Amino acid sequence: MDFKQTFDYFAGKKILYVHGFGSSGATHTAALLQQKLPDAKVLHPDIPLMPAEQLPFLKALCEAEQPDLIIGTSMGGMLVEKLRGFDRICVNPALHMGQTMGTSIKFGEYPIATPREDGVTKINVTKALAKEFDEVCALNFEGLDSEDAARVVGLFGTRDPFVNCFAEFSEHYPSSAYFEGEHRLTDEVLLHSVMPIVRRFWEHQAALDSPAVFIDYATLRDDYGKQRSSARLAFETLSQRYNVYCVAPQDAQPQQWLQENIGVPAWNHLFLTNHRERLYGDYLITLDARDEDTFLGTTLLFGSPQFKTWDALLEYFDQLGGQ
């Protein structure tokens, strides 16, 4: 994904970004979100420093603004989990903030990373503050039902050194995925892992029916199991205009490879089948010329003179313009 690229997702709509501990609404992440989504309105308020004030503040804000999507990271992800009735993305939610203090976050005074509108520049992490966070975290998953759970996606870094709440979170929210990264929401993570989920929410809300592209698992990796040149770029780029799915034999077990090599764009977009002739979609990218006789859509033969590389396929789809 080009770092200069912008997207038309959520045009004319509102996205609320909830920052993490020791930060503010002036965080770089919020600015990058607005840059990438220029036609959306990204709300990025300063979250109150005192835990008891945070949820009431956010609930009142959501009632007033009615955001179309809410994104929270770390402490913000923990708070966003509790904002029932909205589409939400929780990135590395720190579900046990009180326990984190004194361990990952040592007791003491810390500078606030970005300027706050109230002028506060430091925060003192104490046992009393940890206890207040314990009280907020005791509300985790309270009032959750299956309808609300379906409106949430949790994203978790595979190398997060601070919090590891995937198992607990996924017990309540089935749509939980790993991304290759750590705790901090970096530009790379935002662009390659969060933005694909933003698009899925946008497509769902807009009831879009984008053309379906099936990609044969074998076209993504070489005979040694290594990612083919530009395979990840191609999968991610195509996912910006199409519903892209990986197709693999039933016994292939490609999930781990896809997580490590393709990432979030391939999450939950996998078909395991030995009968590709039953696939119903618009395009099939395959190594097997026999698919040309059985697939009902357009078959694109990877490695053929026309489509020797993923770059050639990307050029072909670029000319189609999303059709």
Side-chain angles (χ1 to χ4, degrees):
M1 185 182 294
D2 186 349
F3 272 75
K4 297 180 181 179
Q5 186 176 4
T6 60
F7 306 92
D8 59 359
Y9 313 157
F10 287 95
K13 296 192 174 186
K14 298 176 184 177
I15 296 177
L16 171 61
Y17 177 73
V18 182
H19 63 76
F21 180 76
S23 186
S24 75
T27 176
H28 169 72
T29 302
L32 184 60
L33 262 176
Q34 185 64 82
Q35 177 189 335
K36 294 291 132 187
L37 302 168
D39 298 322
K41 181 179 181 181
V42 177
L43 308 171
H44 47 100
D46 292 349
I47 306 305
L49 295 174
M50 294 298 100
E53 300 173 8
Q54 292 171 342
L55 269 180
F57 169 82
L58 285 170
K59 288 181 178 180
L61 180 65
C62 288
E63 179 66 25
E65 295 288 352
Q66 291 296 306
D68 299 281
L69 178 65
I70 308 175
I71 303 171
T73 181
S74 191
M75 178 195 76
M78 177 271 292
L79 295 168
V80 166
E81 183 276 322
K82 300 167 181 58
L83 299 177
R84 306 279 173 255
F86 296 92
D87 288 344
R88 317 190 290 287
I89 302 174
C90 300
V91 184
N92 287 328
L95 298 180
H96 303 285
M97 276 293 299
Q99 297 177 22
T100 301
M101 293 178 173
T103 54
S104 298
I105 304 174
K106 303 298 183 183
F107 295 127
E109 190 174 73
Y110 292 86
I112 293 176
T114 50
R116 291 179 59 90
E117 291 186 357
D118 58 14
V120 177
T121 59
K122 297 178 181 179
I123 185 168
N124 197 17
V125 177
T126 64
K127 290 183 178 180
L129 185 66
K131 184 177 180 181
E132 287 190 46
F133 270 115
D134 282 338
E135 293 173 358
V136 175
C137 293
L139 303 175
N140 291 346
F141 316 119
E142 186 176 83
L144 179 65
D145 57 28
S146 59
E147 182 178 345
D148 191 72
R151 303 186 69 172
V152 176
V153 171
L155 295 175
F156 296 82
T158 54
R159 303 185 303 278
D160 188 337
F162 300 116
V163 299
N164 183 12
C165 300
F166 179 89
E168 180 182 5
F169 193 89
S170 60
E171 285 182 8
H172 301 272
Y173 295 101
S175 294
S176 299
Y178 280 112
F179 63 85
E180 293 299 313
E182 299 186 8
H183 185 72
R184 184 169 169 266
L185 182 51
T186 64
D187 291 2
E188 287 275 349
V189 171
L190 178 67
L191 292 172
H192 299 297
S193 299
V194 177
M195 289 302 294
I197 302 302
V198 171
R199 176 179 171 81
R200 292 192 194 182
F201 274 112
W202 172 66
E203 282 190 322
H204 178 74
Q205 290 184 16
L208 297 181
D209 187 19
S210 300
V213 177
F214 296 109
I215 297 179
D216 184 349
Y217 180 45
T219 66
L220 299 172
R221 60 205 298 267
D222 61 22
D223 294 338
Y224 301 97
K226 302 294 184 181
Q227 180 192 152
R228 293 184 190 271
S229 177
S230 298
R232 176 173 181 163
L233 172 65
F235 201 108
E236 185 173 340
T237 301
L238 291 175
S239 296
Q240 295 166 18
R241 289 182 169 179
Y242 300 89
N243 282 321
V244 182
Y245 300 89
C246 179
V247 180
Q250 287 182 326
D251 60 353
Q253 298 182 336
Q255 291 88 340
Q256 187 66 31
W257 190 93
L258 289 171
Q259 175 189 305
E260 294 174 356
N261 292 274
I262 305 300
V264 171
W267 169 70
N268 264 9
H269 275 217
L270 171 66
F271 281 102
L272 296 176
T273 179
N274 293 329
H275 299 281
R276 290 192 293 194
E277 72 277 4
R278 299 176 184 175
L279 294 172
Y280 182 77
D282 299 277
Y283 302 94
L284 172 62
I285 302 172
T286 178
L287 287 172
D288 193 341
R290 292 173 297 180
D291 288 325
E292 294 180 307
D293 298 325
T294 58
F295 183 66
L296 296 179
T298 300
T299 303
L300 306 174
L301 192 60
F302 186 84
S304 66
Q306 185 180 4
F307 302 120
K308 278 189 173 296
T309 65
W310 276 110
D311 291 327
L313 277 160
L314 282 177
E315 184 176 345
Y316 169 82
F317 278 102
D318 187 56
Q319 292 173 355
L320 292 179
Q323 297 182 354

PDB file of all heavy atoms in Angstrom, residues 62-85:
ATOM      1  N   CYS A  62     -20.447   9.817  21.982  1.00  0.00           N
ATOM      2  CA  CYS A  62     -21.058   8.945  20.972  1.00  0.00           C
ATOM      3  C   CYS A  62     -22.547   9.254  20.810  1.00  0.00           C
ATOM      4  O   CYS A  62     -23.078   9.201  19.695  1.00  0.00           O
ATOM      5  CB  CYS A  62     -20.864   7.479  21.352  1.00  0.00           C
ATOM      6  SG  CYS A  62     -19.169   6.900  21.164  1.00  0.00           S
ATOM      7  N   GLU A  63     -23.200   9.569  21.898  1.00  0.00           N
ATOM      8  CA  GLU A  63     -24.618   9.925  21.825  1.00  0.00           C
ATOM      9  C   GLU A  63     -24.809  11.195  21.004  1.00  0.00           C
ATOM     10  O   GLU A  63     -25.748  11.307  20.202  1.00  0.00           O
ATOM     11  CB  GLU A  63     -25.172  10.120  23.239  1.00  0.00           C
ATOM     12  CG  GLU A  63     -26.633  10.511  23.292  1.00  0.00           C
ATOM     13  CD  GLU A  63     -27.573   9.433  22.783  1.00  0.00           C
ATOM     14  OE1 GLU A  63     -27.200   8.240  22.829  1.00  0.00           O
ATOM     15  OE2 GLU A  63     -28.686   9.789  22.329  1.00  0.00           O
ATOM     16  N   ALA A  64     -23.897  12.136  21.173  1.00  0.00           N
ATOM     17  CA  ALA A  64     -24.015  13.411  20.464  1.00  0.00           C
ATOM     18  C   ALA A  64     -23.578  13.308  19.005  1.00  0.00           C
ATOM     19  O   ALA A  64     -24.215  13.879  18.114  1.00  0.00           O
ATOM     20  CB  ALA A  64     -23.181  14.476  21.181  1.00  0.00           C
ATOM     21  N   GLU A  65     -22.500  12.576  18.745  1.00  0.00           N
ATOM     22  CA  GLU A  65     -21.907  12.553  17.406  1.00  0.00           C
ATOM     23  C   GLU A  65     -22.363  11.378  16.550  1.00  0.00           C
ATOM     24  O   GLU A  65     -22.292  11.439  15.325  1.00  0.00           O
ATOM     25  CB  GLU A  65     -20.375  12.532  17.514  1.00  0.00           C
ATOM     26  CG  GLU A  65     -19.775  13.783  18.137  1.00  0.00           C
ATOM     27  CD  GLU A  65     -19.844  14.977  17.201  1.00  0.00           C
ATOM     28  OE1 GLU A  65     -20.220  14.815  16.026  1.00  0.00           O
ATOM     29  OE2 GLU A  65     -19.507  16.094  17.657  1.00  0.00           O
ATOM     30  N   GLN A  66     -22.783  10.285  17.172  1.00  0.00           N
ATOM     31  CA  GLN A  66     -23.207   9.077  16.452  1.00  0.00           C
ATOM     32  C   GLN A  66     -22.174   8.662  15.396  1.00  0.00           C
ATOM     33  O   GLN A  66     -22.444   8.636  14.188  1.00  0.00           O
ATOM     34  CB  GLN A  66     -24.573   9.297  15.798  1.00  0.00           C
ATOM     35  CG  GLN A  66     -25.721   9.423  16.781  1.00  0.00           C
ATOM     36  CD  GLN A  66     -25.951   8.140  17.570  1.00  0.00           C
ATOM     37  OE1 GLN A  66     -26.117   7.062  16.997  1.00  0.00           O
ATOM     38  NE2 GLN A  66     -25.942   8.258  18.895  1.00  0.00           N
ATOM     39  N   PRO A  67     -20.960   8.321  15.830  1.00  0.00           N
ATOM     40  CA  PRO A  67     -19.924   7.935  14.861  1.00  0.00           C
ATOM     41  C   PRO A  67     -20.305   6.658  14.112  1.00  0.00           C
ATOM     42  O   PRO A  67     -20.969   5.774  14.653  1.00  0.00           O
ATOM     43  CB  PRO A  67     -18.684   7.719  15.736  1.00  0.00           C
ATOM     44  CG  PRO A  67     -19.229   7.405  17.094  1.00  0.00           C
ATOM     45  CD  PRO A  67     -20.474   8.231  17.221  1.00  0.00           C
ATOM     46  N   ASP A  68     -19.871   6.585  12.867  1.00  0.00           N
ATOM     47  CA  ASP A  68     -20.157   5.413  12.043  1.00  0.00           C
ATOM     48  C   ASP A  68     -19.175   4.279  12.307  1.00  0.00           C
ATOM     49  O   ASP A  68     -19.471   3.118  12.015  1.00  0.00           O
ATOM     50  CB  ASP A  68     -20.116   5.812  10.569  1.00  0.00           C
ATOM     51  CG  ASP A  68     -21.166   6.862  10.248  1.00  0.00           C
ATOM     52  OD1 ASP A  68     -22.341   6.486  10.089  1.00  0.00           O
ATOM     53  OD2 ASP A  68     -20.815   8.057  10.183  1.00  0.00           O
ATOM     54  N   LEU A  69     -18.014   4.622  12.842  1.00  0.00           N
ATOM     55  CA  LEU A  69     -17.007   3.622  13.188  1.00  0.00           C
ATOM     56  C   LEU A  69     -16.158   4.190  14.318  1.00  0.00           C
ATOM     57  O   LEU A  69     -15.847   5.385  14.326  1.00  0.00           O
ATOM     58  CB  LEU A  69     -16.118   3.301  11.981  1.00  0.00           C
ATOM     59  CG  LEU A  69     -14.977   2.305  12.209  1.00  0.00           C
ATOM     60  CD1 LEU A  69     -15.527   0.915  12.536  1.00  0.00           C
ATOM     61  CD2 LEU A  69     -14.066   2.232  10.984  1.00  0.00           C
ATOM     62  N   ILE A  70     -15.796   3.321  15.267  1.00  0.00           N
ATOM     63  CA  ILE A  70     -14.938   3.733  16.381  1.00  0.00           C
ATOM     64  C   ILE A  70     -13.701   2.844  16.378  1.00  0.00           C
ATOM     65  O   ILE A  70     -13.806   1.619  16.275  1.00  0.00           O
ATOM     66  CB  ILE A  70     -15.657   3.619  17.737  1.00  0.00           C
ATOM     67  CG1 ILE A  70     -17.013   4.335  17.701  1.00  0.00           C
ATOM     68  CG2 ILE A  70     -14.790   4.195  18.849  1.00  0.00           C
ATOM     69  CD1 ILE A  70     -17.837   4.159  18.965  1.00  0.00           C
ATOM     70  N   ILE A  71     -12.537   3.466  16.495  1.00  0.00           N
ATOM     71  CA  ILE A  71     -11.269   2.745  16.547  1.00  0.00           C
ATOM     72  C   ILE A  71     -10.565   3.133  17.839  1.00  0.00           C
ATOM     73  O   ILE A  71     -10.403   4.319  18.135  1.00  0.00           O
ATOM     74  CB  ILE A  71     -10.370   3.089  15.345  1.00  0.00           C
ATOM     75  CG1 ILE A  71     -11.086   2.786  14.027  1.00  0.00           C
ATOM     76  CG2 ILE A  71      -9.047   2.323  15.423  1.00  0.00           C
ATOM     77  CD1 ILE A  71     -10.347   3.295  12.796  1.00  0.00           C
ATOM     78  N   GLY A  72     -10.152   2.146  18.608  1.00  0.00           N
ATOM     79  CA  GLY A  72      -9.422   2.420  19.842  1.00  0.00           C
ATOM     80  C   GLY A  72      -8.207   1.535  19.952  1.00  0.00           C
ATOM     81  O   GLY A  72      -8.226   0.381  19.512  1.00  0.00           O
ATOM     82  N   THR A  73      -7.144   2.069  20.536  1.00  0.00           N
ATOM     83  CA  THR A  73      -5.923   1.293  20.683  1.00  0.00           C
ATOM     84  C   THR A  73      -5.461   1.281  22.130  1.00  0.00           C
ATOM     85  O   THR A  73      -5.555   2.301  22.830  1.00  0.00           O
ATOM     86  CB  THR A  73      -4.807   1.847  19.767  1.00  0.00           C
ATOM     87  OG1 THR A  73      -3.633   1.060  19.919  1.00  0.00           O
ATOM     88  CG2 THR A  73      -4.486   3.289  20.076  1.00  0.00           C
ATOM     89  N   SER A  74      -5.014   0.128  22.601  1.00  0.00           N
ATOM     90  CA  SER A  74      -4.500  -0.067  23.958  1.00  0.00           C
ATOM     91  C   SER A  74      -5.573   0.302  24.987  1.00  0.00           C
ATOM     92  O   SER A  74      -6.645  -0.297  24.997  1.00  0.00           O
ATOM     93  CB  SER A  74      -3.211   0.739  24.143  1.00  0.00           C
ATOM     94  OG  SER A  74      -2.567   0.367  25.341  1.00  0.00           O
ATOM     95  N   MET A  75      -5.329   1.298  25.833  1.00  0.00           N
ATOM     96  CA  MET A  75      -6.368   1.742  26.761  1.00  0.00           C
ATOM     97  C   MET A  75      -7.626   2.128  25.997  1.00  0.00           C
ATOM     98  O   MET A  75      -8.756   1.824  26.421  1.00  0.00           O
ATOM     99  CB  MET A  75      -5.873   2.932  27.581  1.00  0.00           C
ATOM    100  CG  MET A  75      -6.902   3.510  28.550  1.00  0.00           C
ATOM    101  SD  MET A  75      -6.445   5.155  29.176  1.00  0.00           S
ATOM    102  CE  MET A  75      -6.838   6.187  27.745  1.00  0.00           C
ATOM    103  N   GLY A  76      -7.438   2.793  24.869  1.00  0.00           N
ATOM    104  CA  GLY A  76      -8.581   3.178  24.046  1.00  0.00           C
ATOM    105  C   GLY A  76      -9.353   1.979  23.544  1.00  0.00           C
ATOM    106  O   GLY A  76     -10.582   2.001  23.456  1.00  0.00           O
ATOM    107  N   GLY A  77      -8.650   0.891  23.213  1.00  0.00           N
ATOM    108  CA  GLY A  77      -9.325  -0.329  22.782  1.00  0.00           C
ATOM    109  C   GLY A  77     -10.149  -0.940  23.895  1.00  0.00           C
ATOM    110  O   GLY A  77     -11.244  -1.469  23.663  1.00  0.00           O
ATOM    111  N   MET A  78      -9.630  -0.870  25.125  1.00  0.00           N
ATOM    112  CA  MET A  78     -10.375  -1.365  26.287  1.00  0.00           C
ATOM    113  C   MET A  78     -11.659  -0.564  26.477  1.00  0.00           C
ATOM    114  O   MET A  78     -12.730  -1.122  26.755  1.00  0.00           O
ATOM    115  CB  MET A  78      -9.482  -1.279  27.531  1.00  0.00           C
ATOM    116  CG  MET A  78     -10.139  -1.692  28.835  1.00  0.00           C
ATOM    117  SD  MET A  78     -10.967  -0.307  29.703  1.00  0.00           S
ATOM    118  CE  MET A  78      -9.562   0.707  30.188  1.00  0.00           C
ATOM    119  N   LEU A  79     -11.580   0.746  26.308  1.00  0.00           N
ATOM    120  CA  LEU A  79     -12.758   1.593  26.471  1.00  0.00           C
ATOM    121  C   LEU A  79     -13.753   1.390  25.324  1.00  0.00           C
ATOM    122  O   LEU A  79     -14.967   1.305  25.545  1.00  0.00           O
ATOM    123  CB  LEU A  79     -12.331   3.058  26.548  1.00  0.00           C
ATOM    124  CG  LEU A  79     -11.489   3.452  27.767  1.00  0.00           C
ATOM    125  CD1 LEU A  79     -10.893   4.841  27.582  1.00  0.00           C
ATOM    126  CD2 LEU A  79     -12.325   3.402  29.042  1.00  0.00           C
ATOM    127  N   VAL A  80     -13.237   1.300  24.119  1.00  0.00           N
ATOM    128  CA  VAL A  80     -14.100   1.147  22.944  1.00  0.00           C
ATOM    129  C   VAL A  80     -14.885  -0.159  23.011  1.00  0.00           C
ATOM    130  O   VAL A  80     -16.032  -0.231  22.554  1.00  0.00           O
ATOM    131  CB  VAL A  80     -13.244   1.230  21.656  1.00  0.00           C
ATOM    132  CG1 VAL A  80     -14.021   0.743  20.439  1.00  0.00           C
ATOM    133  CG2 VAL A  80     -12.776   2.666  21.438  1.00  0.00           C
ATOM    134  N   GLU A  81     -14.301  -1.189  23.596  1.00  0.00           N
ATOM    135  CA  GLU A  81     -15.019  -2.462  23.752  1.00  0.00           C
ATOM    136  C   GLU A  81     -16.354  -2.258  24.439  1.00  0.00           C
ATOM    137  O   GLU A  81     -17.323  -2.976  24.168  1.00  0.00           O
ATOM    138  CB  GLU A  81     -14.142  -3.439  24.546  1.00  0.00           C
ATOM    139  CG  GLU A  81     -14.731  -4.828  24.722  1.00  0.00           C
ATOM    140  CD  GLU A  81     -15.704  -4.946  25.887  1.00  0.00           C
ATOM    141  OE1 GLU A  81     -15.447  -4.311  26.941  1.00  0.00           O
ATOM    142  OE2 GLU A  81     -16.733  -5.649  25.739  1.00  0.00           O
ATOM    143  N   LYS A  82     -16.460  -1.261  25.299  1.00  0.00           N
ATOM    144  CA  LYS A  82     -17.646  -1.057  26.130  1.00  0.00           C
ATOM    145  C   LYS A  82     -18.673  -0.121  25.500  1.00  0.00           C
ATOM    146  O   LYS A  82     -19.716   0.136  26.104  1.00  0.00           O
ATOM    147  CB  LYS A  82     -17.216  -0.510  27.499  1.00  0.00           C
ATOM    148  CG  LYS A  82     -16.271  -1.453  28.247  1.00  0.00           C
ATOM    149  CD  LYS A  82     -15.613  -0.771  29.431  1.00  0.00           C
ATOM    150  CE  LYS A  82     -14.661  -1.719  30.122  1.00  0.00           C
ATOM    151  NZ  LYS A  82     -13.602  -2.234  29.224  1.00  0.00           N
ATOM    152  N   LEU A  83     -18.396   0.393  24.318  1.00  0.00           N
ATOM    153  CA  LEU A  83     -19.310   1.346  23.677  1.00  0.00           C
ATOM    154  C   LEU A  83     -20.311   0.581  22.816  1.00  0.00           C
ATOM    155  O   LEU A  83     -20.196   0.501  21.594  1.00  0.00           O
ATOM    156  CB  LEU A  83     -18.515   2.365  22.849  1.00  0.00           C
ATOM    157  CG  LEU A  83     -17.536   3.223  23.656  1.00  0.00           C
ATOM    158  CD1 LEU A  83     -16.740   4.141  22.736  1.00  0.00           C
ATOM    159  CD2 LEU A  83     -18.273   4.043  24.724  1.00  0.00           C
ATOM    160  N   ARG A  84     -21.295   0.008  23.458  1.00  0.00           N
ATOM    161  CA  ARG A  84     -22.268  -0.853  22.789  1.00  0.00           C
ATOM    162  C   ARG A  84     -23.060  -0.093  21.718  1.00  0.00           C
ATOM    163  O   ARG A  84     -23.342   1.094  21.857  1.00  0.00           O
ATOM    164  CB  ARG A  84     -23.249  -1.432  23.814  1.00  0.00           C
ATOM    165  CG  ARG A  84     -22.587  -2.153  24.981  1.00  0.00           C
ATOM    166  CD  ARG A  84     -22.187  -3.571  24.627  1.00  0.00           C
ATOM    167  NE  ARG A  84     -21.414  -4.163  25.720  1.00  0.00           N
ATOM    168  CZ  ARG A  84     -20.101  -4.340  25.689  1.00  0.00           C
ATOM    169  NH1 ARG A  84     -19.417  -3.987  24.614  1.00  0.00           N
ATOM    170  NH2 ARG A  84     -19.461  -4.877  26.716  1.00  0.00           N
ATOM    171  N   GLY A  85     -23.399  -0.832  20.661  1.00  0.00           N
ATOM    172  CA  GLY A  85     -24.280  -0.281  19.644  1.00  0.00           C
ATOM    173  C   GLY A  85     -23.590   0.411  18.489  1.00  0.00           C
ATOM    174  O   GLY A  85     -24.256   1.027  17.651  1.00  0.00           O
TER     175      GLY A  85
END
